[in-house]
Structure formats: C-alpha cells, structure tokens
Amino acid sequence: MAPQENMVNKKERNVNLDIIRCTAIFMVILVHFFLNSEFYWHPIVGKRMYTMTILCTFAYICVPLFILLTGYLMCQKKLSYTYYKGIRKTLAIYLLASLVCLAYRYLIVHETFSISAALFRILSFRASGYAWYIEMYIGLFLMIPFLNLIYRNLGSQKEKLVLIITCLVLTTLPSLLNQFDWHTVGWWAQPSMSQSYDKLIPAWWENLYPITYYFIGAYLSEFGSPLRKRVSFPLMLIALFTFSIYNIYRCKDGGLENFLACQWFGFECVILSVLTFLFLLRLPTQPLPRWLKVFFARIADLSLGAYLVSWVWDQYAYTKFKTLVTYIPMRLNYLPILVGFVFICSLVTSSCIHGIYALICKGGSALRNGKTNTVRKI
C-alpha cells in the first residue's frame, strides 16, 4: 500500500497488482463495517448474521494482501541511502492524513487539545484510529533490506520453502492448535461457552505475521503461482465457505471477537489471502479498456491515504447510523450504502491529500532549483 511500491514505468505497470491493491483497500473499508456496526460482539444466529460472517471472514484478507504485495514488489531492494529515501512519501501522506483526522476531532467532535498534544498524537500514531498500519510498516520497511539478505542468501527453492514453513509454524500454527478447550465438559457441543483455551505449542511469535506474509510475497514474486490458473478461484471459494461454516460453529452463541483463527496471523486468513492473491495475480487484464486500467492505477495510488482517513468517515457515518438502526442483524441491509459512502469519501479526501503533497513537492523543487541558480550566478 505504501507509495514507494508503485511501478516506476507506467508503460510497464502491472494492472493485476493495481487490482490487488484496489481489492485490499476496499476490504479495509468492508472489514471496518463489521467493527463499527458492532458485529463482533453479537451472537451469530440467523441468516443475516451467517451472511455477515461469510463477508467478514473474507474481508479479513485486507491487510495481508497489502503485505503480500509488499513482499512481491520489494524483494529485490538492497541496503542503500536511496532505499531509505523511499519512505518519505509514506511519512508525508501519514502526516497530512493525521492533520485531517485531528481537524475532524477538533472541528466536528469538539475535542480540545493543545498543539503539543496534537504533535504527540501524531508521533504516537493515535491521530487516526487506523494509523497502527504505518507504525507496523515503518518497522517492516527498515527490516526489508535485511529480510531480503536472508531470503536471497538461501541457496535453493527448497530452503526458501523451509523458511516460509518456519515462519508459519511460529506465527500461524498456534491459531490452529491453541484454540480448543480440552477440560470443559460439553465444550465441543457449544464452543462459544468458553474463551479459555489450552495452549499446545508456543504462541509468543504470532505478531511477527507481517514477516511471514512478506516472505510468501517474495517467494511468489520469484517462483510464481504453484497452482494452475483455473484452480485458485474454486479453492478460494471452498476455503471461504469452509472457514465461514467453521466460524459459525465456533462462535454461534458468542461472537468473532478474539477468535484466533480469523485474526491476521490465523490460518484462515493466511490461506484465504494467498489464494485470493494468486487468483487476482493471474486475472486476464489485456482485454480491459485503457480507462479502466487508469482507474485501477489511480485508486491504487490513493490507497494509503484512503486507508488512514477512512477513520474520519467511519466515525461520521457510523455514529449517526447506529442511533438509527439499533438491531445489529438489520444493519446488513445498509452495508452497500455505508461501505460505498466511506470508500468514495476516503478516496476523494486522499486525492486532496495527494494534491497537497504534490504542491509541496513542486514548491520544494522550485526552491532547490532557485538556490542552485543563485549559487551558479555567484
């Protein structure tokens, strides 16, 4: 999702990668519908809640798609001064988006805070409710040259697979094996009756899941899809419905809150994300008209800003919406309207942010050129 991941030569721009990024940002808006509609805390009972469970299970692939794409595009980066300059646009977009979020807090929500408090909110990634992604990405960005050294210095495809399997064991396998209660009588008939699970393997490394996704993306960039072209989509659908049925069984009388399997490090999310990535990566895009390719490219470029400022539009839309529709299953009826509204408004706001950034860059360039010309005259 970060700007520096875009293809430099637009003539050679890979439309499939733009479609993946567009899908990911849409899934971000969609998954936040379930967060802001309070779906996670409601018992999964009835057809509406079953439908919402299927959509939510799929929407969780949003962040993994972005990180897979990072590994796919950045796996050749090397340690250099030029590389570190690549994060400037990401930080600039974050800063501008944070100012938008702070303006919303001050002007609309009427929060009171000093300039120093606002600065600390930006530095602590609390200006936007979704700024945690930038906090994660900065660390990943700093590690990428070293992750690439590890990956490139493995001698064979088999050794690289062993690396990925090791990462999966550390970050993902616990979500499969550590989610059962072996002591509570009757737990298997009603799993949601208890949130106390027995740990069978270590789970300390779960939050290193971005590295797992990064290495998977790097592997797919080097070796391509291990699946036939016609296989990934059926497998994706089978996985989606299998996991959705399982989630309904596990959380039927409770909710999806804190359920390990569908977290970003969970086995469901890893499998669905990779299958979706492979499907979108091999979509036939040559027949697409040029205007549609430009459209996908534009949304892809705006995705980072849209991600960050979507918090503003979520707060604006859902605060009003929850007072009008109090019955959570009925909120499904308004999903297309709310998701579409937040998606469009976030993209428009992100476009304004990018316009401001372009003006700042233009002004900085003019200033540097003016100084250069002055020195030459002297």
Side-chain angles (χ1 to χ4, degrees):
M1 179 167 57
Q4 72 273 8
E5 295 168 18
N6 292 331
M7 308 295 283
V8 176
N9 189 340
K10 293 189 176 181
K11 293 182 179 179
E12 299 177 359
R13 185 161 182 150
N14 189 326
V15 183
N16 295 80
L17 302 184
D18 287 332
I19 292 175
I20 291 172
R21 196 179 281 107
C22 293
T23 302
I25 186 56
F26 181 80
M27 290 299 177
V28 166
I29 307 299
L30 179 59
V31 83
H32 287 158
F33 167 85
F34 298 105
L35 172 65
N36 291 291
S37 66
E38 301 175 344
F39 161 77
Y40 296 122
W41 299 275
H42 194 276
I44 303 176
V45 178
K47 293 181 180 179
R48 291 176 183 273
M49 293 300 291
Y50 296 161
T51 302
M52 291 174 79
T53 301
I54 295 172
L55 293 174
C56 184
T57 300
F58 192 49
Y60 256 102
I61 68 174
C62 53
V63 168
L65 282 182
F66 280 127
I67 307 175
L68 286 169
L69 197 57
T70 300
Y72 191 90
L73 291 171
M74 306 278 280
C75 59
Q76 298 298 325
K77 297 294 183 179
K78 297 180 180 180
L79 188 62
S80 67
Y81 174 72
T82 303
Y83 171 76
Y84 287 114
K85 288 170 59 178
I87 202 170
R88 290 182 301 180
K89 187 174 182 180
T90 300
L91 297 178
I93 296 299
Y94 166 67
L95 176 60
L96 293 171
S98 296
L99 293 176
V100 171
C101 295
L102 289 171
Y104 174 82
R105 291 178 184 272
Y106 184 78
L107 298 173
I108 307 300
V109 184
H110 303 296
E111 289 187 25
T112 56
F113 45 82
S114 63
I115 294 177
S116 61
L119 178 61
F120 279 115
R121 285 195 179 191
I122 294 173
L123 294 176
S124 60
F125 303 95
R126 292 186 294 111
S128 165
Y130 305 146
W132 70 268
Y133 181 89
I134 297 296
E135 188 173 11
M136 179 277 295
Y137 184 82
I138 290 173
L140 181 62
F141 180 88
L142 294 175
M143 292 177 64
I144 280 174
F146 306 102
L147 295 177
N148 290 345
L149 282 173
I150 294 172
Y151 182 82
R152 286 198 306 267
N153 280 282
L154 294 174
S156 65
Q157 181 178 3
K158 182 178 179 181
E159 290 179 349
K160 292 174 181 179
L161 275 175
V162 172
L163 171 64
I164 292 172
I165 292 171
T166 302
C167 290
L168 289 171
V169 169
L170 292 173
T171 63
T172 303
L173 190 60
S175 69
L176 178 63
L177 299 182
N178 293 349
Q179 58 166 323
F180 305 106
D181 185 343
W182 300 95
H183 296 92
T184 302
V185 177
W187 182 85
W188 293 95
Q190 190 180 0
S192 60
M193 69 185 294
S194 172
Q195 295 295 322
S196 177
Y197 306 139
D198 295 315
K199 184 181 290 187
L200 300 180
I201 62 173
W204 195 87
W205 295 88
E206 284 176 338
N207 285 329
L208 287 181
Y209 68 87
I211 294 177
T212 300
Y213 285 115
Y214 182 86
F215 280 137
I216 294 174
Y219 181 88
L220 294 176
S221 178
E222 181 177 6
F223 297 106
S225 173
L227 301 175
R228 293 182 179 179
K229 190 174 182 179
R230 297 181 180 180
V231 173
S232 56
F233 183 68
L235 285 179
M236 181 183 71
L237 291 181
I238 291 170
L240 173 60
F241 285 104
T242 301
F243 295 151
S244 298
I245 292 170
Y246 179 65
N247 293 343
I248 291 170
Y249 157 70
R250 286 299 307 272
C251 307
K252 183 174 182 180
D253 297 317
L256 280 177
E257 181 190 15
N258 298 325
F259 182 43
L260 294 177
C262 61
Q263 301 297 317
W264 284 318
F265 55 75
F267 70 93
E268 293 183 1
C269 207
V270 171
I271 293 171
L272 269 176
S273 301
V274 172
L275 289 175
T276 304
F277 188 89
L278 291 175
F279 167 67
L280 296 175
L281 190 63
R282 303 184 70 180
L283 275 176
T285 58
Q286 290 183 350
L288 294 179
R290 178 174 175 77
W291 68 266
L292 189 56
K293 294 179 181 180
V294 173
F295 175 75
F296 284 133
R298 181 58 177 164
I299 294 179
D301 290 341
L302 296 175
S303 60
L304 176 61
Y307 188 128
L308 296 171
V309 299
S310 65
W311 177 83
V312 168
W313 296 106
D314 280 344
Q315 297 301 305
Y316 176 80
Y318 289 99
T319 300
K320 298 177 181 294
F321 170 68
K322 285 187 289 187
T323 60
L324 296 174
V325 184
T326 57
Y327 184 51
I328 292 177
M330 286 299 297
R331 292 173 180 174
L332 174 65
N333 294 358
Y334 301 89
L335 183 151
I337 298 173
L338 287 164
V339 171
F341 172 79
V342 173
F343 186 64
I344 292 171
C345 291
S346 299
L347 288 174
V348 171
T349 309
S350 180
S351 180
C352 295
I353 288 173
H354 276 74
I356 295 171
Y357 174 75
L359 289 175
I360 293 172
C361 291
K362 187 176 181 180
S365 178
L367 184 62
R368 287 193 300 270
N369 291 336
K371 288 183 177 180
T372 303
N373 293 334
T374 301
V375 171
R376 286 176 179 174
K377 289 178 181 179
I378 294 174

